[in-house]
């Protein structure tokens, strides 16, 4: 659907406009009294959210690709129907098959208090079936207001059961990773992908001192990112999610990433709402599963 048709069908005067964004990829520019946001149809991908009176909350790195078929690095990529590397076939794309695909707009509405609700949809097709032989519908319902609500709805539209892992792979914008703490995962067991070892978090908030890439399973906890340099705390609450992934690539990993600016890794922290590791979701024909991430910002002090 071209930009003019999208604006005619889904635009909201002075609030929701479709434009050709970076790399000429179609995107939604959203400006309301509550917040501003940018959402790309590729990957159903929100790249920017800034509540009124706040600095941007999602990190977007300056060297991200914006090319049809290449994942965008920043904001909230959607990992589905597997998180990370495919469990048995390394030739398949990391983080699944929907984050570089063109999604469609199902609806855009505004509620009485000013929240804008954008529903994006992607369905299985021959290309997806060749990679993962199941029929599904995946909806990303994004509610943009003074908080950001991301609801990922999976429907099994097949006549056979399937199993998935998934993530809302959220990149948060911070001032300096060296001065940030992460509360909410105290004492939790996790799989450390850097050390390839199972371990436990300390009884105090996490403070990263090097590359950190860890999958916390069996946790429904809200994570709080305490950022004294920004004078704020970002909370990531969740429902329908039993895993949280925490990631920062640090210096050398970041330098190896073509689509990550070398000097920007201190300004990002991934707190990912997920079902990963042994937290596998099984959907019978006709079943639906919802995973929601609720992101909010409060001032410190
Ligand atoms: O969620 C953390 C992680 O699985 C890391 O291992 C790293 O690979 C990151 O995702 C980014 O993955 P990507 O495929 O976007 O480069």
């Amino acid at each position: 659907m071209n930009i003019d048709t999208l604006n005619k069908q889904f635009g909201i005067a002075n609030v929701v406009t479709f434009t050709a964004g970076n790399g000429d990829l179609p995107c939604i520019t959203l400006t309301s009294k509550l917040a501003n946001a940018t959402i790309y149809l590729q990957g159903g991908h929100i790249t920017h959210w800034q509540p009124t009176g706040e600095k941007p909350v999602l990190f977007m790195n300056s060297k991200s690709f914006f090319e049809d078929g290449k994942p965008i690095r920043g904001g909230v990529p959607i990992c589905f129907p597997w998180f990370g590397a495919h469990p048995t076939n390394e030739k398949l794309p990391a983080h699944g098959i929907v984050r570089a695909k063109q999604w469609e707009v199902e609806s855009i509405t505004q509620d009485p208090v000013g929240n804008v609700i954008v529903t994006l949809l992607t369905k299985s097709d021959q290309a997806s079936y060749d990679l993962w032989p199941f029929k599904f519908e995946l909806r990303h319902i994004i509610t943009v207001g003074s908080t950001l609500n991301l609801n990922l709805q999976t429907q099994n539209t097949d006549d056979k059961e399937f199993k998935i892992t998934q993530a809302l792979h959220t990149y948060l914008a911070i001032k300096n990773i060296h001065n940030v703490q992460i509360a909410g995962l105290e004492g939790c067991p996790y799989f450390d992908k850097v050390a390839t070892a199972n371990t436990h978090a300390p009884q105090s908030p996490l403070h990263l001192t090097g590359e950190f890439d860890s999958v916390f399973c069996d946790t429904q906890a809200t994570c709080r990112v305490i950022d004294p340099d920004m004078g704020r705390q970002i909370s990531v609450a969740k429902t329908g999610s039993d895993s949280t992934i925490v990631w920062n690539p640090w210096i050398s990993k970041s330098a190896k990433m073509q689509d990550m600016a070398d000097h920007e890794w201190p300004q990002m922290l991934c707190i990912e709402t997920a079902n990963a590791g042994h937290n596998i979701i099984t959907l019978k024909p006709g079943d639906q599963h919802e995973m929601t991430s609720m992101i909010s910002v409060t001032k410190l002090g």
Side-chain angles (χ1 to χ4, degrees):
M1 196 181 285
N2 71 30
I3 298 286
D4 288 346
T5 309
L6 285 164
N7 277 312
K8 284 195 186 75
Q9 188 164 351
F10 299 107
I12 300 177
N14 306 317
V15 179
V16 170
T17 310
F18 288 82
T19 60
N22 293 326
D24 274 343
L25 294 175
C27 74
I28 297 167
T29 300
L30 194 160
T31 54
S32 78
K33 63 180 188 317
L34 299 176
N36 292 341
T38 306
I39 300 167
Y40 279 80
L41 300 194
Q42 175 166 298
H45 195 136
I46 184 165
T47 58
H48 174 73
W49 172 58
Q50 183 171 7
T52 300
E54 256 306 334
K55 291 188 172 63
V57 180
L58 301 179
F59 168 83
M60 259 312 301
N61 106 84
S62 58
K63 283 186 69 183
S64 173
F65 297 128
F66 282 93
E67 288 174 45
D68 192 1
K70 284 191 177 180
I72 296 168
R73 183 164 311 280
V76 185
I78 293 178
C79 307
F80 174 91
W82 59 83
F83 170 80
H86 186 275
T88 57
N89 180 350
E90 62 183 7
K91 294 192 179 70
L92 292 174
H95 292 319
I97 57 177
V98 300
R99 63 174 177 161
K101 189 178 173 188
Q102 295 309 318
W103 291 41
E104 56 187 275
V105 183
E106 186 168 64
S107 67
I108 301 183
T109 58
Q110 189 166 25
D111 73 13
V113 299
N115 295 301
V116 177
I117 303 100
V118 176
T119 300
L120 303 177
L121 165 67
T122 188
K123 297 179 182 178
S124 51
D125 54 21
Q126 191 56 53
S128 71
Y129 205 83
D130 292 344
L131 296 172
W132 189 68
F134 297 97
K135 292 175 185 160
F136 66 88
E137 289 188 6
L138 188 66
R139 284 176 175 77
H140 188 196
I141 303 158
I142 305 170
T143 303
V144 177
S146 50
T147 61
L148 179 65
N149 216 55
L150 307 174
N151 177 287
L152 193 62
Q153 270 180 16
T154 305
Q155 272 184 302
N156 180 342
T157 54
D158 209 323
D159 57 9
K160 53 188 183 293
E161 172 181 294
F162 59 59
K163 296 179 186 293
I164 62 167
T165 54
Q166 59 185 171
L168 290 160
H169 193 296
T170 305
Y171 287 75
L172 297 175
I174 56 174
K175 184 79 175 177
N176 181 346
I177 190 73
H178 296 91
N179 301 330
V180 156
Q181 291 192 314
I182 305 157
L185 296 167
E186 289 80 353
C188 285
Y190 65 89
F191 179 68
D192 179 338
K193 288 171 68 175
V194 178
T196 55
N198 287 302
T199 184
H200 273 78
Q203 288 303 333
S204 54
L206 283 173
H207 174 243
L208 307 192
T209 56
E211 182 185 351
F212 194 84
D213 188 355
S214 297
V215 182
F216 293 78
C217 282
D218 307 323
T219 171
Q220 297 78 34
T222 295
C223 284
R224 292 180 293 112
V225 175
I226 300 153
D227 186 347
D229 296 341
M230 291 275 263
R232 72 181 185 185
Q233 167 181 286
I234 302 174
S235 292
V236 182
K238 60 180 194 170
T239 61
S241 158
D242 289 329
S243 318
T244 296
I245 290 98
V246 179
W247 178 56
N248 184 288
W250 223 255
I251 304 169
S252 56
K253 184 70 166 287
S254 179
K256 290 181 192 136
M257 292 157 63
Q258 195 189 356
D259 59 339
M260 181 76 186
D262 288 358
H263 61 285
E264 292 183 6
W265 57 269
Q267 296 145 39
M268 61 147 278
L269 175 63
C270 282
I271 301 288
E272 304 165 34
T273 298
N275 288 294
H278 64 255
N279 295 135
I280 294 168
I281 302 293
T282 300
L283 287 169
K284 291 185 175 51
D287 278 2
Q288 176 171 298
H289 177 270
E290 292 200 28
M291 177 172 77
T292 305
S293 191
M294 298 86 82
I295 304 172
S296 57
V297 186
T298 48
K299 300 270 188 228
L300 286 179

